[in-house]
Amino acid sequence: MQASMQQSNIRQVLMKRIQMCEFALIEAGLFLDSHPDDQQALKYYSKHQQLLDQAKAEYVKQFGEDSLNRVILHDPNTKDKQEVQDTIDILKEAI
């Protein structure tokens, strides 16, 4: 039981980290649309892309590739599979 709770906590931490990085990248991307030569923003974007890649790699290591697509900006309590897929599609287009 305790191992199950620990896995759940790890999953939640990794999900939150992925969500935060995705959000940061989307916002930085929007800023860079109007400030494409801003070196500080480019470094910020690059840093958060690396953090996202690390978080995704850790998530896949712990929980498998198939479950990763359900993570990005998804409320784990949502049962609507179409909502999840729509969110994934929107984020893939944004990146």
Side-chain angles (χ1 to χ4, degrees):
M1 180 71 164
Q2 189 169 359
S4 174
M5 285 183 63
Q6 192 173 27
Q7 282 291 95
S8 179
N9 288 341
I10 291 169
R11 183 184 298 258
Q12 289 177 341
V13 167
L14 290 172
M15 286 173 62
K16 185 60 75 178
R17 190 174 300 156
I18 289 169
Q19 290 171 342
M20 289 170 40
C21 289
E22 288 284 358
F23 179 80
L25 286 170
I26 291 168
E27 291 297 311
L30 291 171
F31 180 81
L32 285 166
D33 284 345
S34 60
H35 302 81
D37 298 323
D38 187 310
Q39 293 302 307
Q40 187 175 0
L42 289 166
K43 287 179 186 176
Y44 179 90
Y45 188 92
S46 178
K47 174 187 171 189
H48 283 81
Q49 183 63 57
Q50 290 175 345
L51 292 171
L52 175 62
D53 292 344
Q54 291 170 357
K56 283 183 174 182
E58 183 62 28
Y59 190 92
V60 168
K61 180 181 169 187
Q62 294 280 332
F63 304 105
E65 184 79 35
D66 293 340
S67 64
L68 182 61
N69 288 335
R70 295 188 296 263
V71 172
I72 304 168
L73 291 180
H74 169 62
D75 178 353
N77 298 319
T78 300
K79 304 289 190 259
D80 184 357
K81 292 181 191 270
Q82 186 59 50
E83 178 185 341
V84 174
Q85 189 57 53
D86 290 347
T87 301
I88 291 168
D89 293 342
I90 289 167
L91 288 172
K92 282 182 179 177
E93 290 175 16
I95 294 177

